[in-house]
Amino acid sequence: MTDKTSPDAGLAAGPEGRKAQLLKGLAELALLSLLKDRAHYGLEILDRLRAEAGLDLAEGTIYPLLHRLERGGLVAAEWRMESEGARPRKYYQLTDAGRAELVSQSAEWRRIATSLTAFLDRSGA
Amino acid sequence: MTIQYDEDLVAGWLRRFKWALKRMPSPEREDIVAETRAHLHERMAGGLTAVQALANFGAPEAYAGKFLDEMYLSAAAGSQSWSDNLRAVARFATRSGVAFVAIFVVLMVGSLGLGFLIAGVWKIFDPAHVGMWVGPRDFALGVVDHPEASRELLGNWMYPLCAAAVALAWFICRGVLLWAVRILAPKA
C-alpha cells in the first residue's frame, strides 16, 4: 500500500520512497525557478534540473508535474516550431500566479533549510 | 531496418499510452501524447535507441497512471462533488494508507447511514413493522416480521432518529473524503 505519488507514501516506502517524495517537492520549486527567466520545453527542463540543480529526476516525472502546474495555472504552455522543418516543442513559461508561488515557496524553503540545518548541526548530525 | 524497428516500437508504445489515457478529455490526451512523442524522438536523435528511450518512461500504463492521478486529484481538490472526491480517493485506496482508511470509513459509515435511510422510508409505508423493538430475548432496530412478540420503543421518534443518523453519516463521509483529498492532493 505504498504510493510514490501520494504524500503519505514516503513513510512506508523506505529510503527510495522518502527520496522520491523529497525530490517531488524540490522539483516543483526548482522548476518554477528555472522558468523565471524564460520559457523552456520539457526535455530542456529535465536536463537542466538534472545538471544544474542536481536533482536525480526520472525521465517520466517531469511531464506529470508540468501538467499539474499548467492545470493549476502556475505555468502556461504553447507549441512552438523554432525553424522550418524542426519538430514542434511545447514551451512552458511562468504565469503571474506562478511567480507569486515561486516567491512563496522560495521563502518557505529558505526558512525550513535554515532551521533544519541549524537543528542538524546542534549535535553534529 | 533499425530505424523502422525503432519507429514501430515507439508507435506501439504511444498507442498503448494513448489507450491508457482514454479517460482524459481528448485535447489534453492528444497534447500529452504529442509531447511524449516529441520527447522520445529528441532522445533518439540524441543517440538513444528506442528501447533505451522507452525504458526511461517505463510501462505506458504506469506512466499514464501518473497523469490520471493528477487529473483526478486536481478535479477533487477544487470540487464539492461527491463523485469527484470518491473517485479520486478510491483510485489511491490500494496504494495509500490514508485513502484506504478513508474508503473503509466511508463504506462502513455510509452503509449504516443507508440502513437508517431505508428504515425511515420503510416506516412511512409499513409503520407497524419498523421501529426499535425489545423482545423477551432480543433487541432490534429496523424491520421485524412479528411485531406482536416485541415492544416498540420509539414510535414516531423513529423518523427524527433516522434523519439524524443519515445526516451524521453524510457529514462523516463527506469530512473523511475531503480530509483524504487534502492529504493526497499536493496543492489541495
Side-chain angles (χ1 to χ4, degrees):
Chain A
M1 274 202 323
T2 60
D3 168 23
K4 290 185 178 181
T5 67
S6 73
D8 63 326
L11 296 175
E16 283 304 311
R18 283 194 291 275
K19 187 179 169 190
Q21 285 307 115
L22 190 60
L23 271 180
K24 192 177 177 186
L26 295 178
E28 181 174 326
L29 173 58
L31 194 157
L32 291 174
S33 175
L34 184 67
L35 298 181
K36 184 175 59 176
D37 301 324
R38 66 170 174 87
H40 288 66
Y41 61 96
L43 190 56
E44 187 184 20
I45 292 170
L46 181 65
D47 288 344
R48 283 197 66 187
L49 290 184
R50 281 174 171 171
E52 296 172 34
L55 296 174
D56 182 22
L57 295 169
E59 198 96 351
T61 57
I62 202 72
Y63 293 107
L65 174 58
L66 283 165
H67 197 248
R68 176 164 65 80
L69 297 178
E70 186 183 2
R71 190 188 284 271
L74 300 182
V75 302
E78 65 169 349
W79 285 91
R80 292 184 197 165
M81 188 113 72
E82 287 175 322
S83 59
E84 192 66 32
R87 257 178 211 289
R89 289 166 169 164
K90 191 176 178 184
Y91 276 81
Y92 295 86
Q93 60 186 10
L94 272 192
T95 61
D96 289 343
R99 288 185 193 285
E101 181 67 18
L102 172 61
V103 171
S104 164
Q105 283 197 26
S106 298
E108 185 66 10
W109 165 252
R110 289 197 174 93
R111 188 190 65 74
I112 290 172
T114 305
S115 304
L116 194 59
T117 303
F119 179 75
L120 293 175
D121 287 348
R122 84 198 186 286
S123 57
Chain B
M1 184 69 179
T2 307
I3 292 173
Q4 187 56 45
Y5 172 76
D6 277 1
E7 286 298 328
D8 290 348
L9 215 56
V10 168
W13 192 95
L14 288 171
R15 254 198 313 277
R16 284 172 58 195
F17 180 49
K18 188 174 176 180
W19 175 253
L21 288 172
K22 60 183 181 294
R23 292 200 175 124
M24 192 168 266
S26 179
E28 238 176 306
R29 181 175 64 234
E30 297 296 339
D31 202 53
I32 290 170
V33 172
E35 189 174 33
T36 308
R37 183 184 291 114
H39 180 109
L40 288 168
H41 282 129
E42 197 147 338
R43 279 288 190 235
M44 286 157 64
L48 289 189
T49 64
V51 171
Q52 289 168 330
L54 292 172
N56 288 334
F57 280 96
E61 292 77 13
Y63 185 49
K66 294 180 183 177
F67 288 97
L68 294 174
D69 285 348
E70 298 289 1
M71 182 183 78
Y72 284 119
L73 281 177
S74 298
S79 168
Q80 292 296 310
S81 152
W82 270 92
S83 60
D84 283 350
N85 285 290
L86 191 58
R87 196 165 32 205
V89 177
R91 188 172 170 79
F92 285 89
T94 57
R95 295 177 282 158
S96 153
V98 167
F100 178 81
V101 168
I103 290 298
F104 182 77
V105 170
V106 166
L107 283 177
M108 291 295 110
V109 176
S111 301
L112 268 175
L114 186 62
F116 274 102
L117 180 66
I118 291 171
V121 172
W122 197 319
K123 188 169 175 67
I124 296 171
F125 299 103
D126 188 9
H129 290 87
V130 181
M132 184 185 281
W133 305 95
V134 178
R137 288 183 305 278
D138 53 6
F139 170 86
L141 180 65
V143 183
V144 293
D145 289 335
H146 304 289
E148 62 281 359
S150 311
R151 189 161 61 90
E152 208 280 316
L153 299 178
L154 286 175
N156 284 337
W157 284 103
M158 183 75 181
Y159 296 115
L161 175 76
C162 287
V166 170
L168 186 63
W170 191 91
F171 278 113
I172 290 173
C173 292
R174 185 112 190 90
V176 165
L177 282 178
L178 290 175
W179 163 76
V181 167
R182 203 160 46 235
I183 290 177
L184 292 168
K187 289 291 168 192

